[in-house]
């Protein structure tokens, strides 16, 4: 146990770590025309400045707005922000007014944040999930998480672009593309992909367009964008944050969580948006995720403040189970040696920081089904048809208000030029053919039923992460998150080589992804996995890893047009010039200079 005084010193040291990056923030972009006064500043540092009266929420909000306009909409063109909130400055002004009267609503009071464009805000902004099918009248009321942010004094700055419908429309989709928002780009290399579906959220946080941004994850959509854009991504336990008022994929697997430039920032954000008890709108907030159902009750001691678990020495004495399942590539593309080397270097750094490393693969432990849920895709398809129809019923004044998935399919077909210029809707077409009963055999899935798929995925968690934790007495399981970002390819789609979010997705367990290395100028990260409601342990471990590696601090985005950007220029050619020979010099291959003024020059024949 750490006594309070020592813990305070450790926490202060951890929160101050990114300050070195703030001093070096000019590397973030070279032009002095772009606002960058508070680049890489943490929530704690900004709150301290506002408390001291040296910074106001209005000034900070204006700074982010101007940076978004300069870099996101113009300049390099990240295209992470799909909409700015017309009320943002009024919210900031109100936060400043409350502070002057001694009222601070929470640890993010006056802090500008961005929300993924599938999250309802009962204001003037759209909630489209990137599709014109949901564009029109804004949502009628706030989502629970948006309301929690308002109650905590945060400034909702705008919405971020995403992979349309959270990347659940086509097998050939392009991450970061939506009909409404176009293509989001990677701040480390504009030609690189930001991964999906919370692509704009991670790219915005990485680009210093807000202090914290928020995305959603069903399987990989918080951690993969965080990996690609070099930020921390905290995917909470399913049901720890409410999904009420969020365009769904699956009530079984969907969750909502933060992107931030530090573990500390995502930790503070989680405490603000979570639902410790039933919120009245999402049954999962009063229950447990699939992996715990019928086994354990919901904890009664869910923390209110997760910063107590931040620890720069968090790896000291930890026991971590490392798996490389899938890292050799699940496509016909082999994982590059440099990527594997970076992962091994990260594991060595954990060991050097005092962690005991257990190689789960070498010990003979096998994750079921190759590390992915055997019933997962069936569950997502079955849930989506029902869950999205229930969401449509909450909307008014948009094409899909009160409609069904079949209506959305028809809408896309009727507006193919806008909605399907690059890829189709074959996932939706598949769902439309599926029997509707939970005990109906599904021909497309080998005759498995929905209820059988749920049982299989619950067993996947029990025999996967939970079994590894128990058998080897682990604090967490660790693996690489995803392959580094590929060049965006609108013709062939996404180029995934590997991804490990499937270890925790089917059963609804949490993940914290942290930047861990660089491959030819592109970030890559590691993920810490645990059982349900193990966020405190994962935060401790992730903050300890961040403290000893500081990868983000030393590798800020460059907004380069392409990555890699060196050793690609080629040779420098000069245009050949016709030259003349001197008088009396035989004509031939030798060059002839221009004659002196008045001097006669012989001309070659047969021109």
């Amino acid at each position: 146990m750490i006594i309070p005084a020592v813990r305070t010193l450790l926490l202060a040291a951890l929160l101050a770590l990114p300050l070195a990056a703030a001093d070096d923030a000019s590397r973030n972009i070279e032009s002095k025309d772009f606002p960058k006064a508070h680049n890489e500043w943490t929530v704690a540092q900004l709150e301290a400045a506002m408390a001291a009266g040296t910074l106001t929420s209005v000034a900070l909000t204006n700074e982010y707005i101007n940076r978004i306009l300069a870099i996101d909409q113009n300049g390099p063109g990240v295209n992470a922000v799909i909409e700015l909130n017309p009320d943002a400055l009024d919210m900031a002004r109100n936060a400043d007014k409350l502070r002057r009267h001694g009222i601070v609503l929470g640890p993010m009071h006056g802090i500008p944040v961005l929300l993924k464009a599938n999250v309802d805000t009962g204001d003037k902004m759209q909630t489209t999930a990137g599709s014109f099918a949901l564009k029109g009248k804004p949502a009628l009321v706030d989502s629970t998480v948006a309301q929690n942010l308002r109650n905590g004094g945060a400034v909702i700055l705008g919405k971020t672009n995403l992979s349309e419908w959270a990347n659940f429309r086509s097998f050939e989709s392009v991450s970061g593309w939506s009909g409404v928002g176009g293509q989001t780009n990677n701040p480390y290399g504009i030609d690189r992909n930001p991964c999906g579906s919370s692509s704009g959220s991670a790219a915005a946080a990485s680009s210093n367009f807000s202090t914290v941004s928020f995305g959603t994850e069903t399987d990989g959509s918080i951690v993969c964008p965080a990996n690609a854009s070099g930020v921390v991504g905290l995917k909470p336990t399913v049901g720890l944050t409410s999904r009420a008022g969020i365009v769904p994929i699956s009530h079984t697997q969907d969750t909502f969580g933060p992107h931030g430039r530090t573990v500390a920032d995502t930790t503070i954000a989680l405490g603000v948006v979570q639902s410790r008890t039933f919120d009245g709108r999402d049954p999962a907030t009063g229950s447990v995720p699939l992996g715990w159902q019928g086994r354990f009750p919901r904890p009664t001691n869910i923390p209110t403040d997760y910063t107590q678990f931040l620890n720069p020495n968090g790896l000291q004495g930890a026991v971590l189970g490392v798996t490389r399942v899938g890292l050799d590539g699940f496509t016909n593309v082999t994982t590059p040696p440099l990527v594997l080397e970076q992962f091994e270097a990260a594991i060595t750094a954990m060991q050097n920081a005092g962690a005991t490393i257990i190689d789960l693969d070498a010990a003979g432990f096998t994750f079921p089904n190759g590390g992915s849920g055997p019933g997962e895709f069936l569950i997502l398809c079955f849930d989506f048809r029902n869950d999205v129809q229930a969401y449509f019923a909450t909307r008014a004044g948009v094409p899909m208000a009160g409609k069904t998935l079949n209506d959305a399919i028809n809408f896309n077909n009727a507006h193919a030029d806008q909605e399907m210029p690059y890829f189709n809707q074959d996932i939706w077409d598949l769902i439309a053919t599926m029997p509707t009963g939970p005990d109906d055999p599904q021909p497309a899935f080998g005759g498995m039923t929905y209820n059988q798929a749920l049982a299989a995925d619950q067993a996947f968690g029990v025999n996967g992460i939970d079994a590894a934790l128990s058998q080897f007495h682990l604090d967490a399981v660790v693996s690489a998150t995803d392959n580094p970002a590929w060049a965006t390819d609108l013709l062939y789609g996404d180029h995934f080589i590997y991804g490990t979010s499937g270890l925790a997705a089917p059963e609804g367990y949490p993940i914290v992804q942290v930047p861990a290395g660089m491959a030819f100028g592109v970030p890559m990260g590691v993920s810490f996995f645990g059982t349900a409601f193990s966020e405190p342990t994962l935060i401790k471990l992730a903050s300890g890893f961040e403290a000893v590696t500081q990868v983000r601090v030393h590798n800020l985005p460059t907004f380069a047009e392409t990555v890699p950007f060196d050793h690609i220029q080629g040779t420098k050619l000069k245009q050949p010039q016709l030259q003349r020979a001197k008088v009396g010099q035989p004509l031939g291959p030798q060059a002839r200079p221009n004659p002196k003024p008045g001097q006669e020059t012989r001309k070659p024949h047969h021109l």
Side-chain angles (χ1 to χ4, degrees):
M1 182 176 182
I2 300 174
I3 62 174
V6 175
R7 177 184 167 275
T8 300
L9 289 173
L10 290 174
L11 180 58
L14 185 69
L15 292 174
L17 279 175
L19 197 55
D23 292 338
D24 200 22
S26 60
R27 291 191 297 140
N28 198 298
I29 195 157
E30 294 179 359
S31 173
K32 295 181 179 179
D33 296 333
F34 299 130
K36 57 190 176 185
H38 295 94
N39 278 9
E40 302 299 305
W41 280 45
T42 66
V43 170
Q45 291 163 350
L46 293 170
E47 284 290 331
M50 286 190 276
T54 59
L55 177 67
T56 65
S57 180
V58 168
L60 183 61
T61 302
N62 263 319
E63 182 179 328
Y64 284 135
I65 290 172
N66 290 331
R67 186 170 172 84
I68 289 167
L69 294 176
I71 299 176
D72 191 61
Q73 301 298 298
N74 298 291
V78 180
N79 198 34
V81 181
I82 201 170
E83 185 175 12
L84 286 172
N85 185 3
D87 299 323
L89 288 172
D90 288 335
M91 293 183 72
R93 188 176 298 109
N94 185 60
D96 288 336
K97 180 179 178 181
L98 289 174
R99 191 183 296 273
R100 286 195 300 271
H101 287 83
I103 300 172
V104 175
L105 298 176
M108 294 185 69
H109 185 99
I111 298 293
V113 301
L114 290 164
L115 299 178
K116 189 176 178 179
N118 63 350
V119 180
D120 285 351
T121 51
D123 50 24
K124 300 170 186 174
M125 288 191 291
Q126 299 283 322
T127 304
T128 63
S131 171
F132 290 101
L134 289 177
K135 189 169 184 179
K137 185 177 180 179
L140 300 178
V141 296
D142 271 344
S143 57
T144 296
V145 290
Q147 187 61 58
N148 289 349
L149 286 165
R150 292 187 202 274
N151 292 343
V155 174
I156 300 177
L157 180 61
K159 299 279 184 82
T160 56
N161 195 24
L162 70 162
S163 308
E164 187 172 304
W165 295 105
N167 233 355
F168 198 70
R169 197 194 79 192
S170 173
F171 293 110
E172 291 80 37
S173 66
V174 178
S175 289
W177 184 91
S178 72
V180 174
Q183 180 64 52
T184 294
N185 302 310
N186 192 306
Y188 281 84
I190 299 301
D191 67 325
R192 294 276 152 177
N193 195 271
C195 201
S197 69
S198 304
S199 46
S201 174
S206 184
S207 301
N208 284 274
F209 296 155
S210 67
T211 317
V212 171
S213 57
F214 292 90
T216 61
E217 175 158 333
T218 306
D219 187 340
S221 285
I222 288 175
V223 298
C224 180
N227 175 81
S229 287
V231 294
V232 176
L234 198 163
K235 177 229 173 181
T237 300
V238 169
L240 183 59
T241 54
S242 175
R243 291 85 50 86
I246 297 177
V247 183
I249 292 179
S250 163
H251 65 271
T252 305
Q253 289 188 204
D254 291 352
T255 188
F256 171 90
H259 284 126
R261 294 180 292 274
T262 66
V263 176
D265 283 354
T266 59
T267 296
I268 292 170
L270 176 62
V272 173
V273 299
Q274 71 174 355
S275 292
R276 297 177 65 244
T277 56
F278 180 46
D279 79 337
R281 299 174 62 191
D282 179 4
T285 58
S287 183
V288 295
L290 181 63
W292 271 26
Q293 288 176 14
R295 301 171 60 210
F296 307 109
R298 187 178 179 91
T300 57
N301 61 342
I302 293 174
T304 56
D305 176 10
Y306 290 88
T307 62
Q308 62 185 299
F309 306 109
L310 294 167
N311 187 345
N313 298 314
L315 291 173
Q316 185 68 47
V319 182
L320 304 176
V322 175
T323 180
R324 298 167 182 82
V325 61
L327 265 63
D328 55 349
F330 51 57
T331 68
N332 60 353
V333 178
T334 302
T335 304
L338 176 61
V339 174
L340 298 175
E341 290 167 8
Q342 289 290 299
F343 175 63
E344 297 304 330
I347 299 304
T348 299
M350 296 178 197
Q351 197 165 22
N352 292 340
T356 298
I357 302 298
I358 296 178
D359 189 325
L360 296 177
D361 309 321
F365 186 85
T366 303
F367 284 91
N369 201 45
S372 60
E376 179 179 17
F377 189 54
L378 190 165
I379 292 169
L380 300 188
C381 290
F382 192 94
D383 282 354
F384 182 71
R385 175 163 52 191
N386 301 318
D387 292 353
V388 82
Q389 182 173 335
Y391 175 80
F392 289 163
T394 69
R395 297 295 299 274
V398 298
M400 286 304 105
K403 300 293 182 64
T404 67
L405 176 61
N406 285 341
D407 293 314
I409 292 172
N410 293 334
F411 179 91
N412 288 340
N413 287 331
H415 300 84
D417 287 347
Q418 289 179 307
E419 290 293 343
M420 299 191 292
Y422 299 116
F423 52 89
N424 57 28
Q425 54 182 339
D426 46 5
I427 291 178
W428 288 13
D429 290 335
L430 168 64
I431 296 171
T433 70
M434 292 173 59
T436 59
D439 291 312
D440 291 338
Q442 299 289 344
F445 297 91
M448 179 182 281
T449 71
Y450 175 72
N451 282 332
Q452 288 172 341
L454 288 174
D457 276 11
Q458 182 183 45
F460 172 82
V462 174
N463 298 318
I465 287 178
D466 284 342
L469 295 174
S470 175
Q471 181 178 339
F472 296 96
H473 308 288
L474 305 176
D475 292 293
V477 173
V478 178
S479 191
T481 304
D482 284 278
N483 51 282
W486 55 90
T488 297
D489 190 339
L490 292 169
L491 180 61
Y492 290 103
D494 288 339
H495 295 210
F496 286 103
I497 300 178
Y498 65 82
T500 58
S501 59
L503 292 172
E507 65 271 44
Y509 290 175
I511 311 172
V512 180
Q513 122 75 40
V514 188
M518 301 291 291
F520 298 119
V522 182
M524 59 175 292
V526 294
S527 286
F528 294 87
F529 302 86
T531 193
F533 303 103
S534 64
E535 282 83 359
T537 298
L538 300 185
I539 288 168
K540 174 185 175 183
L541 299 171
S543 61
F545 178 74
E546 177 186 64
V548 298
T549 56
Q550 299 189 53
V551 172
R552 165 78 188 188
V553 172
H554 299 297
N555 297 280
L556 301 181
T558 62
F559 302 97
E561 291 184 5
T562 180
V563 171
F565 52 80
D566 57 350
H567 298 90
I568 63 173
Q569 293 80 5
T571 57
K572 302 298 183 182
L573 303 180
K574 295 181 179 180
Q575 183 175 356
Q577 300 292 323
L578 181 63
Q579 300 185 25
R580 301 176 180 178
K582 294 180 180 179
V583 174
Q585 183 178 9
L587 295 177
Q590 293 83 7
R592 295 182 62 190
N594 291 330
K596 294 181 180 179
Q599 188 175 29
E600 183 179 357
T601 304
R602 295 181 182 180
K603 296 180 181 179
H605 297 284
H606 311 298
L607 290 179

